[in-house]
Amino acid sequence: MNPILRLTDSIRYTIAAADYESEVFVEKFAEIMQLEQGEETGRKIVVCTREHKKGEKKLVIPEKDDEPVLCILNTADNMEMFNIQVERIAKAVVIDATEKGGMLIHGALCSFNGSGVIMAGPGTVGKSTASMRLPNPWISYSDDATIILPDGYGGFCAHPWPTWSRFYMQGPGGSWKVEETIPLDAIFFLEQSRDDFVEPIDKVHAKAMIIDTLEHVTRSNIFSVKENQELARNFIKRANSLAESVPAFKLHLSLTGEFWKEMEKALQSVGAHGKNAHKENERPSERDFIKKRKNKNHIHFVYRGVSMNPTFIEPEMITVVPYEGSTIRTGDVVCYKTGADENVIVHRITGINGSRIQTKGDNNAAPDPYTIEADDIIGRVCASIRDGRFRKVYGGAAGIAAMYCLMMRKPAILFISGILHDIYHALSHSGIMRRLLPEKKQIDVAVFERGNTKYQKIIFSGRTIGRYDQREQRWNIKRPYRIFVDESLLPDFRRPSRKTKEE
């Protein structure tokens, strides 16, 4: 009898230990995932513990489902390393499930009257806090990560996924019954705000935000960089179908308001299981680039790599428009293919000599060692979406000027930061800015509880500006808000260090 993991109606995994040492990892994995023992079914994941041979893969996933997945773990001499090995088994599941159309998203999973909802966003936006505050009849299933799979009927279903960081910090919670299957009806991308309100997101915008959220869960410290890159590529392939099938919204939420009421209105607007999507005349007015996007000639790519930093930063959704007879100019950012290479390249035109066009990546020291022709060009990059925000991409002389401005921005910020550093800390220690704050905008300290765990935050004008780090036993305060905070007046949440297991 081995732990059995059931995802949707068709995906099954049997987790088997190949040796005595691996049994401890498998048992912990089953405990965290809240799995039951059963007869062997579905695909088998064989876990073994041994020293790696040079060049040997830590994870081997054969193409055929009837062949077992091999997951090789290291020995662990401390609890943090032990939990890292346990998470590797989970990641083996994720990578295999990704081949079956799945993806792992950085978001809390909850439901309202049977409608599944993901609240997605980076680690500091407040997913855990929001999921803790949901009242009945809302149900919270996980607070940090969710695995999404096709439901076989053109939609998606979701399963809660463990909050692995809890186990690294030896904190309580973080474990959920992963086999819970929830039909996915909406995704809400969280953004802290003074007021609670929801705005719908178009599909292109949603795809970019989904990709950004998926990137949060790929970490190179679990497997090799190459394996994580492959995982990210597979996630990106799934993002388009997810954006097409599941309505997306931006949820502006405060830490004190009843944001769930706004979510309930949004769910009502799309109907049960997303059957009644927004009609065009019911949606709010959108930016001009969204209207232009309706032109079928516009193409959308996800930018990968570093050659165009800082103009584009991976992963960034870019919009490409074919030239269709318009003039190709020096300074345009173009998408093109060279020879038999099927990869789309995004570089800037630096020179035109007759029919030969010279290109170069903004972040590269030298021009490309080849030239292209007009027929090689797919189109000009006219816009992009980064971190959920629209950016117009200029071409010609304006594009070159914009490139230099972006390249000079970081050195300029570093130079100015050096000058302002001493002024900033002097203001912080003097307390002048604190005394100038209106009474209604004073700094507050809030303590949120989940089970036996407490989370301490500094709140200013409805947004989190600081958190207490229990590991470092100190307050982390965002810039420039330190000038408004007197750390000597903040509560001391230090706790005695825990004894080790050996002690």
Side-chain angles (χ1 to χ4, degrees), residues 456 466-470 473-476 491-494:
Q456 301 86 10
R467 299 169 185 272
Y468 191 78
D469 189 330
Q470 288 288 0
Q473 296 192 344
R474 64 184 179 86
W475 286 98
N476 291 327
D492 186 356
F493 293 107
R494 284 180 294 179

Side-chain angles (χ1 to χ4, degrees), residues 139-360:
I139 301 173
S140 179
Y141 296 96
S142 65
D143 66 1
D144 186 68
T146 302
I147 191 166
I148 304 173
L149 292 157
D151 62 6
Y153 302 98
F156 289 87
C157 61
H159 292 261
W161 205 249
T163 307
W164 290 100
S165 59
R166 301 275 179 84
F167 303 105
Y168 298 148
M169 296 185 291
Q170 304 302 303
S175 175
W176 327 97
K177 189 170 180 57
V178 173
E179 292 184 328
E180 290 272 9
T181 303
I182 316 298
L184 184 59
D185 293 313
I187 300 178
F188 292 84
F189 295 96
L190 273 55
E191 184 174 294
Q192 290 187 2
S193 173
R194 185 178 303 176
D195 302 310
D196 298 296
F197 64 98
V198 166
E199 56 179 322
I201 301 174
D202 68 277
K203 292 176 182 179
V204 171
H205 200 166
K207 181 181 177 182
M209 298 184 78
I210 289 169
I211 290 170
D212 184 54
T213 306
L214 293 171
E215 289 284 324
H216 297 162
V217 297
T218 58
R219 301 205 318 271
S220 59
N221 65 327
I222 303 299
F223 285 123
S224 69
V225 172
K226 184 177 180 180
E227 287 167 331
N228 277 281
Q229 288 174 342
E230 181 63 28
L231 184 62
R233 280 194 291 269
N234 284 333
F235 282 166
I236 288 169
K237 292 176 186 176
R238 317 298 180 213
N240 187 57
S241 57
L242 181 61
E244 289 288 335
S245 302
V246 180
F249 303 88
K250 184 175 286 188
L251 171 60
H252 302 262
L253 81 162
S254 67
L255 295 176
T256 56
E258 297 178 334
F259 63 89
W260 52 87
K261 292 184 177 179
E262 300 300 318
M263 295 170 68
E264 291 168 13
K265 293 176 185 177
L267 286 173
Q268 186 177 10
S269 72
V270 298
H273 307 296
K275 291 179 181 177
N276 301 315
H278 287 281
K279 296 178 181 178
E280 283 299 319
N281 58 359
E282 292 176 346
R283 298 181 67 167
S285 59
E286 299 173 339
R287 299 179 186 272
D288 289 341
F289 91 101
I290 297 297
K291 296 177 181 177
K292 291 179 181 179
R293 181 184 56 78
K294 295 176 183 177
N295 184 334
K296 294 182 180 179
N297 291 331
H298 283 218
I299 310 167
H300 304 282
F301 294 105
V302 176
Y303 170 76
R304 313 292 297 185
V306 298
S307 65
M308 284 296 291
N309 293 166
T311 303
F312 304 120
I313 298 175
E314 176 183 326
E316 187 164 345
M317 178 76 74
I318 60 175
T319 301
V320 179
V321 56
Y323 277 97
E324 295 182 341
S326 58
T327 304
I328 298 175
R329 302 171 299 171
T330 298
D332 287 357
V333 179
V334 293
C335 284
Y336 61 89
K337 294 183 180 181
T338 57
D341 191 355
E342 290 301 314
N343 292 325
V344 175
I345 300 173
V346 180
H347 278 178
R348 190 182 300 275
I349 295 176
T350 56
I352 302 175
N353 184 9
S355 63
R356 312 306 299 174
I357 300 171
Q358 182 67 61
T359 56
K360 174 182 174 296

Side-chain angles (χ1 to χ4, degrees), residues 27 45 47 55 62 66 78 95 109 118 138 160 162 214 251 270 285 305 307 333 340 352 363 402 429 455:
E27 287 174 5
I45 297 179
V47 181
D66 57 355
N78 58 66
I95 292 177
L109 176 62
I118 290 177
W138 282 88
L214 293 171
L251 171 60
V270 298
S285 59
S307 65
V333 179
I352 302 175
N363 195 35
H429 291 304
Y455 303 90

Side-chain angles (χ1 to χ4, degrees), residues 1-40:
M1 301 286 280
N2 293 302
I4 306 299
L5 173 58
R6 301 172 180 85
L7 299 175
T8 71
D9 295 331
S10 58
I11 301 177
R12 302 281 191 275
Y13 294 100
T14 298
I15 316 299
D19 50 67
Y20 176 77
E21 195 168 7
S22 299
E23 288 182 3
V24 183
F25 294 112
V26 172
E27 287 174 5
K28 185 62 176 179
F29 174 79
E31 176 189 333
I32 292 172
M33 309 285 273
Q34 300 185 22
L35 307 180
E36 297 179 357
Q37 302 280 329
E39 296 293 338
E40 185 173 321

Side-chain angles (χ1 to χ4, degrees), residues 85-96:
Q85 305 311 307
V86 176
E87 189 182 1
R88 282 182 176 172
I89 306 174
K91 195 158 187 181
V93 174
V94 171
I95 292 177
D96 188 67

